[in-house]
């Protein structure tokens, strides 16, 4: 197995050998670099797939020449020749150094589990040697743990319509087929009937995913786990049409255990992650937006942090629009709304961006973000607005940053830095500050 080329978000990558030892650039072998460029250009050339622009940029710089800059997407790109590019989050440690790869992966996986539309329940990294595993193998293991959890609880069955020539009546007689097939065999009856079985679309897709992953994974532990799980799917046929079977997937209360597994199956079977990448140059690309990961990670821990209070906590609230006439337009969707009572609420919005210790530049806070916070304050009729950014070295131990409008406007935007590595301790500090303001 080839060792992955590892970079972090916002890193600059060059293939110029003169910059092999540079602290500013990451050096990548020219052939792999060119394949990487081909991948990006393949998708940026299409309006349908120009999400690649959100993940990478390519430009020429005097000195190193052409460089690729990673943006705020993390994950893994695996090429058909076996070369891998692994992009990890940029997370500072409290001791003042970047996290080692092992700890970075652990934090990233914790954040992944908290993503709103990708919430895992049973994934456990404690027994994995993730320091020596690339992200794709870790994702495979996540899927296998979910399927293991499912088979322990039992595969779901349902009634599936069948038809067959039988010696006795079962269900209903299908007249047309009976006449056509049994004109010379009066002893038979062509019947259509419902049979209760596990050979349903969801299980077909899982079996197909297991078969595919068995051919992909290079870890003996994963292969053993797949062989063990396939025994539970002995009477399930592999999916013959992924699109058709995914359209038939039905997730209700009784099928809740299938929800995450179906998301993983779509990723593996259709080469789709939270981006839409799968092209001629690359066999797999699993990339996740750090903005969403940070948002979900903070929201989950906010719920835990404030559970002692009888407050309603909403995520991605859709209660207000910027304009209400002639019809409601431009929905406002703050990341977190804490409803204290009918008259008091707290608005929080997360931004995955490193601020800078330059007051004259507004610490790097965008004007658009402040306009957004002002709109939240006015529509929700609350002065309590919090902008949450990840803690970085430059802003560590910085004094509180508070933006206040006139008494007439009565809008206050508080800046808080979330220590992603020590999020429980960090949000406890946030809670203390919020309670202190509420008690005034």
């Amino acid at each position: 197995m080839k060792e992955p080329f590892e970079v972090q978000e916002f890193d600059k990558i060059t293939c110029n050998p003169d910059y092999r030892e540079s602290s500013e650039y990451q050096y990548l072998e020219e052939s792999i670099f060119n394949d990487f460029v081909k991948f990006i250009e393949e998708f940026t050339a299409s309006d349908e797939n120009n999400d690649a622009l959100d993940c990478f940029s390519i430009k020429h710089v005097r000195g190193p020449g052409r460089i690729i800059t990673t943006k705020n997407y993390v994950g893994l790109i695996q090429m058909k020749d076996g070369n891998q590019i692994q992009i990890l989050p940029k997370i500072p440690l409290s001791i003042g150094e970047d996290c080692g790869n092992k700890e970075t992966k652990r934090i990233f996986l914790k954040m992944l589990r908290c993503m709103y539309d990708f919430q895992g329940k049973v994934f456990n990294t404690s027994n994995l040697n993730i320091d020596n595993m690339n992200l794709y193998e870790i994702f495979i293991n996540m899927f296998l743990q979910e399927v293991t959890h499912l088979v322990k609880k039992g595969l779901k069955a349902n009634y599936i319509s069948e038809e067959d020539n039988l010696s006795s009546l079962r269900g209903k007689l299908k007249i047309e087929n009976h006449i056509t097939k049994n004109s010379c065999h009066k002893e038979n009856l062509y019947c259509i009937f419902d049979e209760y079985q596990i050979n349903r679309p969801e299980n077909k897709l899982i079996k197909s995913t297991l078969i595919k992953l068995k051919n992909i994974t290079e870890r003996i532990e994963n292969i053993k786990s797949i062989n063990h799980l396939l025994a539970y799917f002995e009477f399930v046929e592999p999916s013959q049409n992924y699109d058709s079977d995914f359209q038939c997937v039905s997730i209700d209360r009784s099928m809740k255990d299938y929800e995450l597994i179906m998301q993983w199956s779509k990723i593996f079977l259709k080469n789709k992650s939270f981006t839409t990448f799968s092209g001629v140059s690359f066999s797999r690309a699993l990339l996740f937006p750090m903005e969403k990961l940070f948002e979900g990670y903070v929201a989950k821990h906010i719920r835990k942090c404030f559970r002692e209070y009888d407050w309603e906590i909403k995520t991605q609230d859709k209660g207000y629009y910027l304009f209400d006439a002639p019809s409601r337009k431009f929905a406002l969707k703050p990341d977190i709304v804490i409803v204290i009572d009918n008259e008091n609420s707290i608005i929080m919005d997360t931004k995955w961006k490193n601020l800078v210790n330059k007051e004259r530049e507004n610490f790097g806070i965008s004007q658009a973000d402040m306009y957004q916070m002002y709109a939240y304050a006015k529509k929700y009729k609350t002065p309590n607005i919090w902008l949450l950014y990840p803690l970085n070295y430059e802003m560590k131990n910085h004094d509180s940053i508070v933006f206040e409008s006139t008494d007439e406007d009565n809008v206050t935007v508080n800046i808080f830095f979330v220590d992603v590595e020590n999020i429980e301790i960090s949000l406890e500090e946030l809670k203390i500050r919020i309670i202190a303001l509420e008690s005034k």
Side-chain angles (χ1 to χ4, degrees):
M1 180 175 65
K2 296 183 180 181
E3 287 295 318
F5 172 69
E6 291 189 339
V7 293
Q8 293 184 327
E9 50 177 337
F10 311 116
D11 275 355
K12 298 174 182 177
I13 306 168
T14 180
C15 64
N16 189 328
D18 293 340
Y19 289 79
R20 190 188 296 267
E21 305 299 328
S22 170
S23 59
E24 185 179 355
Y25 297 96
Q26 298 288 337
Y27 173 76
L28 180 60
E29 185 181 319
E30 185 174 7
S31 61
I32 306 174
F33 183 93
N34 290 335
D35 282 343
F36 197 1
V37 170
K38 190 184 300 182
F39 165 71
I40 298 169
E41 291 176 341
E42 179 183 343
F43 287 92
T44 55
S46 166
D47 290 338
E48 181 182 355
N49 295 308
N50 63 10
D51 286 347
L53 288 169
D54 295 329
C55 305
F56 315 101
S57 68
I58 306 172
K59 63 180 180 180
H60 285 265
V61 176
R62 180 177 295 179
R66 189 169 51 172
I67 65 168
I68 299 171
T69 302
T70 59
K71 295 187 180 179
N72 62 335
Y73 276 69
V74 297
L76 181 130
I77 299 168
Q78 186 159 341
M79 307 177 198
K80 289 182 178 178
D81 63 3
N83 287 309
Q84 302 169 346
I85 297 172
Q86 188 163 278
I87 307 167
L88 298 174
K90 205 174 192 70
I91 301 172
L93 268 178
S94 56
I95 60 175
E97 297 178 359
D98 283 341
C99 292
N101 288 342
K102 182 176 180 180
E103 189 59 26
T104 300
K105 288 177 189 176
R106 287 195 187 279
I107 295 172
F108 164 61
L109 294 171
K110 286 180 182 179
M111 297 176 78
L112 180 62
R113 292 177 61 198
C114 298
M115 200 166 177
Y116 289 129
D117 47 0
F118 203 78
Q119 294 183 355
K121 295 178 181 177
V122 302
F123 181 55
N124 180 7
T125 61
S126 59
N127 296 322
L128 291 179
N129 185 13
I130 65 174
D131 196 28
N132 297 319
M133 292 175 66
N134 69 47
L135 288 177
Y136 205 84
E137 293 290 354
I138 294 174
F139 294 152
I140 291 174
N141 192 275
M142 291 173 76
F143 172 77
L144 297 180
Q145 288 195 44
E146 290 288 342
V147 178
T148 300
H149 178 70
L150 174 68
V151 298
K152 285 180 179 179
K153 297 183 75 172
L155 297 178
K156 298 291 184 181
N158 65 354
Y159 286 100
I160 297 174
S161 181
E162 299 275 355
E163 47 185 83
D164 199 2
N165 237 347
L166 304 175
S167 58
S168 59
L169 182 65
R170 184 177 179 186
K172 296 180 180 179
L173 190 66
K174 197 169 183 180
I175 302 297
E176 287 185 17
N177 296 71
H178 177 68
I179 294 172
T180 303
K181 295 181 177 294
N182 296 326
S183 57
C184 298
H185 296 278
K186 304 296 184 182
E187 72 280 7
N188 290 339
L189 298 168
Y190 196 91
C191 304
I192 182 168
F193 53 93
D194 289 334
E195 186 167 323
Y196 196 65
Q197 56 179 277
I198 62 173
N199 194 36
R200 57 186 297 169
E202 296 86 351
N203 292 332
K204 290 181 179 182
L205 291 166
I206 296 173
K207 183 166 185 176
S208 293
T209 308
L210 289 171
I211 293 170
K212 180 176 182 178
L213 295 183
K214 184 178 178 181
N215 295 323
I216 290 174
T217 184
E218 298 181 3
R219 294 190 64 83
I220 297 299
E221 296 86 347
N222 284 343
I223 293 173
K224 287 181 180 178
S225 180
I226 291 170
N227 286 333
H228 174 74
L229 290 170
L230 281 172
Y232 291 90
F233 292 83
E234 180 182 359
F235 300 107
V236 176
E237 301 170 1
S239 173
Q240 300 301 313
N241 187 321
Y242 298 156
D243 290 331
S244 176
D245 282 339
F246 275 119
Q247 288 178 2
C248 295
V249 169
S250 176
I251 304 296
D252 53 26
R253 289 184 65 182
S254 66
M255 294 288 290
K256 200 67 178 173
D257 292 323
Y258 279 78
E259 186 171 14
L260 180 59
I261 296 173
M262 287 297 97
Q263 293 181 53
W264 272 125
S265 290
K266 184 170 289 189
I267 287 171
F268 290 124
L269 292 177
K270 302 187 71 178
N271 289 329
K272 290 189 175 182
S273 59
F274 290 97
T275 65
T276 57
F277 299 153
S278 59
V280 293
S281 304
F282 291 75
S283 57
R284 293 182 288 278
L286 298 174
L287 299 169
F288 303 87
M290 281 304 299
E291 187 79 39
K292 284 286 185 184
L293 293 178
F294 183 55
E295 176 187 323
Y297 193 47
V298 171
K300 177 181 178 179
H301 285 88
I302 284 286
R303 289 186 183 279
K304 291 171 61 177
C305 187
F306 286 86
R307 60 189 170 193
E308 63 189 273
Y309 299 95
D310 189 23
W311 296 347
E312 182 183 5
I313 299 178
K314 303 177 183 179
T315 54
Q316 291 291 296
D317 186 52
K318 300 178 183 178
Y320 292 93
Y321 289 77
L322 198 56
F323 300 103
D324 297 311
S327 61
R328 297 205 294 180
K329 297 286 185 182
F330 304 106
L332 299 176
K333 294 193 295 183
D335 295 334
I336 303 166
V337 177
I338 301 178
V339 181
I340 298 174
D341 53 43
N342 292 332
E343 297 181 354
N344 297 289
S345 59
I346 301 167
I347 308 295
M348 297 181 184
D349 225 51
T350 58
K351 305 292 180 186
W352 184 255
K353 179 182 180 181
N354 283 333
L355 296 192
V356 293
N357 190 11
K358 296 179 181 178
E359 186 174 356
R360 298 178 73 176
E361 297 178 11
N362 297 323
F363 305 103
I365 301 169
S366 75
Q367 194 164 338
D369 287 346
M370 279 303 186
Y371 285 160
Q372 185 183 32
M373 298 308 107
Y374 188 86
Y376 289 162
K378 288 302 179 184
K379 283 295 181 178
Y380 282 82
K381 297 179 180 178
T382 177
N384 299 317
I385 307 293
W386 292 80
L387 264 175
L388 310 182
Y389 292 90
L391 179 66
N392 61 54
Y393 304 138
E394 193 166 346
M395 303 306 290
K396 186 175 173 59
N397 300 320
H398 195 282
D399 292 337
S400 297
I401 302 174
V402 180
F403 294 89
E404 296 178 289
S405 64
T406 62
D407 292 338
E408 182 180 343
D409 278 345
N410 192 28
V411 175
T412 301
V413 178
N414 301 275
I415 308 300
F416 185 81
F417 297 101
V418 178
D419 184 346
V420 175
E421 182 197 3
N422 303 294
I423 191 165
E424 292 89 355
I425 297 172
S426 185
L427 293 184
E428 280 295 324
E429 180 186 337
L430 173 62
K431 181 173 71 173
I432 292 170
R433 289 179 57 180
I434 287 174
I435 298 302
L437 287 176
E438 287 300 313
S439 63
K440 288 183 178 179

